[in-house]
Each structure stands twice: as structure tokens, then as C-alpha cells.
Amino acid sequence: PAENEGVSDAELMTLQKTIYTSFIINVHDFSQPEKSIATLNRLIDLHETYGIPVDMYLTDAMTQIYEEQAPELIERLKTSPRVAVSYHLRPPTPYYSDFHEEWFAGLTGSALEDALYEYETHRVDLVTGQATEEPGGYQHLKDLMGYAPYVVTQSAGPGDITKALANIYKKMGARFTLRHQVTSAFGEMTNGLYLRPEDVEVKVYAPTGAIDAEDMLTYHLKGVDQRPAFVNLKWHDNNFFSSGTNWAGIYYAPDAKGTDPLNPPYNLSLWATSETNKSAAEEKQQWDRYEGMLKYVKDHPETYTSVNSRDVLNLLEQ
């Protein structure tokens, strides 16, 4: 075709057959903020060094912490050409999946949307789980970044809450939502939002021991025959410095594995009951794994194209 004149066969093959890889960081470790801040700064350094985009998902709690304790990090998140910021939910936001959605029982229509809107425009108190009078939620992150964060996570619970949240986020400018454990096709939509495309989810942080990037990608791509394919490479901020999840010990009954939410007031000092810090050797292993994946993807442009949510939106709107 005339529009392809001057483009090499190799470049055309990449465009038609590529595997889109997204590096995804979910940030939620409010119990050790200094470690989270250092981790994000180091991650941004790596992505700027390798020239590879990254998606960083912030909760309301972490947005507030960074704004108060590391305003320079907020500025980096806002201005780095490699970073696209998105938004996700964790306890004690009550409509986090299977947490305290019953707080909204009996509310429908505009009354339900108004109640949810209060949370998405105001800071959540980590002890009470209630919305405060201070700015917070999705709207506050949008104001800080100067653009609407691209992806939102939603309650997987009652459909009325999910639909009301989608309506709120759409009005605020969000473009994507997501679902877990089910593949999502490029361009697929739900409740008026694009689904973040995902053919393969890779929890790169999960295995123990030395991990080879090529081996891991090859293993997870078995059986994925269509191209382009979307492979999401996932970490959390605390995967680099601890094991477990700090908020599990605060907001859920011991050993409940996220199935028995506690009631407020929440004891924030209980974070260490479910999170332990990694050794220096374990931390190094995780950082080596991360940088190894960055390097491998960068060194194989004939197979992999790195994108973040901003890039995916641009692809959809071409």
C-alpha cells in the first residue's frame, strides 16, 4: 500500500505482529512511606534511563502521603514523559470489592451516586473509613496531575455501585477500567469505559529465586497465538521491599485472607502482622528481575512494543 512505502518489512512485521508490554506499578504501601517514595523514584529513574513507558496506579492514601512528604515525587509523576498515572481502590474505601459495600445498602439512583461522589472528591480517613472534608479521591489526583488519570479500578460487587462509579469516573474524565482473571480485548468496553486490554497477566514479582525475563515471557505467552497481544507486567511498590500486604492486617480479621473485613476504628499499627521486610539479598533479587525485564523488552523491539495507558488510548483513537 502507498501508505507503507519506505517502511521496511521488519518494521511492518513489528507493527502487525507485535506484543504490547505494559509495566504496571500498583502503589498502596502507606505503612512505610519512606520506602514507597524511594521505590517510586528509583522506578522512574529506570524507566527514564531505558526510555520505556510505565503505568503507576495510586490510591487516595498514597496520593495524600506523596503530596505531604514528597512533593518532588508528585512533580516527577506529573511531568516524566515515561509515566502515565492511573487510580485504584484499596481499603478502607468501603466499596473496595467485598469490603463494606453494605454501608451503601438502600441507596439507589442519584442518592447512591452522591454518596460515592463524596468519596471520590474527598480524602478517606484510614482509621474510620469515612470521607473527610479534605480534597481527595479520583478528583484530587486528577487536579494534582493536570489530567484525568487514565484507568480506574471499580468495585466488583453489586452492579448498582459499579455502574454508579463508572458514571462518576466517566464524568471526571477516566477512559479505562479493568477486570481481573479474565482477558479483555483491545477496544472492549463496559459501562461506557474501555477495558484495559489484557491477553496475559504476569505477576512478575511472585516467583522466588532468579528469574530470566525471556523464560518468563515465553512461558506466559504459550497458547497466545493472536497478534497483537497485550501483556501486562505487574508489581506493587512493596514487592521491592517487603512480603505480604500491610492493609490486610489492618482491615481484615487475622488469617481471613481478605474475606472477613473488620469494622472501624481501624488500628493502623497492625500492619506488621501481615507484612515483613525483605532482606537486602531479596530486595536486590527483585530489582535485578525488574531491570532484567526492562532490558530484555528494550533489546527485542522486533517482538515487543512497550506502552502505557496513554499510548493504548492513542492507539484506540487513531
Side-chain angles (χ1 to χ4, degrees), residues 59 66 190 245 272 275 279 294:
T59 60
Y66 296 154
T190 182
T245 303
E275 183 179 30
S279 67
L294 282 172

Side-chain angles (χ1 to χ4, degrees), residues 129-182:
Q130 298 290 333
T132 69
E133 295 183 356
E134 301 173 61
Y138 181 89
Q139 183 63 50
H140 187 55
L141 182 57
K142 174 183 175 180
D143 291 342
L144 284 174
M145 292 297 107
Y147 63 85
Y150 294 95
V151 189
V152 290
T153 60
Q154 295 185 56
S155 164
D160 52 350
I161 290 181
T162 299
K163 290 178 181 178
L165 278 174
N167 195 36
I168 290 168
Y169 291 138
K170 280 189 298 180
K171 289 177 181 178
M172 291 180 174
R175 302 302 301 275
F176 294 92
T177 187
L178 57 85
R179 60 189 179 196
H180 292 298
Q181 299 174 333
V182 180

Side-chain angles (χ1 to χ4, degrees), residues 89-277:
L89 300 174
R90 293 288 189 224
T93 304
Y95 43 87
Y96 177 77
S97 182
D98 299 322
F99 189 55
H100 280 303
E101 290 159 331
E102 73 276 5
W103 291 9
F104 302 93
L107 296 178
T108 60
S110 60
L112 174 60
E113 193 164 317
D114 288 347
L116 298 171
Y117 182 80
E118 282 297 301
Y119 274 89
E120 292 306 337
T121 55
H122 292 88
R123 183 175 188 165
V124 176
D125 188 310
L126 296 180
V127 174
T128 68
Q130 298 290 333
T132 69
E133 295 183 356
E134 301 173 61
Y138 181 89
Q139 183 63 50
H140 187 55
L141 182 57
K142 174 183 175 180
D143 291 342
L144 284 174
M145 292 297 107
Y147 63 85
Y150 294 95
V151 189
V152 290
T153 60
Q154 295 185 56
S155 164
D160 52 350
I161 290 181
T162 299
K163 290 178 181 178
L165 278 174
N167 195 36
I168 290 168
Y169 291 138
K170 280 189 298 180
K171 289 177 181 178
M172 291 180 174
R175 302 302 301 275
F176 294 92
T177 187
L178 57 85
R179 60 189 179 196
H180 292 298
Q181 299 174 333
V182 180
T183 59
S184 301
F186 180 72
E188 188 177 354
M189 301 189 78
T190 182
N191 294 320
L193 294 167
Y194 287 117
L195 281 164
R196 183 183 70 188
E198 182 169 280
D199 295 299
V200 179
E201 174 194 49
V202 185
K203 296 179 179 178
V204 191
Y205 60 87
T208 59
I211 299 296
D212 178 81
E214 181 175 14
D215 290 345
M216 177 171 273
L217 287 171
T218 300
Y219 172 80
H220 282 280
L221 282 163
K222 287 179 179 177
V224 181
D225 297 325
Q226 78 279 6
R227 296 290 184 272
F230 288 82
V231 178
N232 293 327
L233 307 171
K234 300 180 182 179
W235 281 264
H236 306 87
D237 55 342
N238 63 320
N239 295 144
F240 293 92
F241 55 83
S242 67
S243 300
T245 303
N246 65 341
W247 45 267
I250 296 169
Y251 298 115
Y252 292 92
D255 302 320
K257 296 183 179 180
T259 60
D260 188 9
L262 297 170
N263 292 310
Y266 303 111
N267 183 351
L268 301 186
S269 69
L270 293 178
W271 67 267
T273 62
S274 57
E275 183 179 30
T276 57
N277 284 335

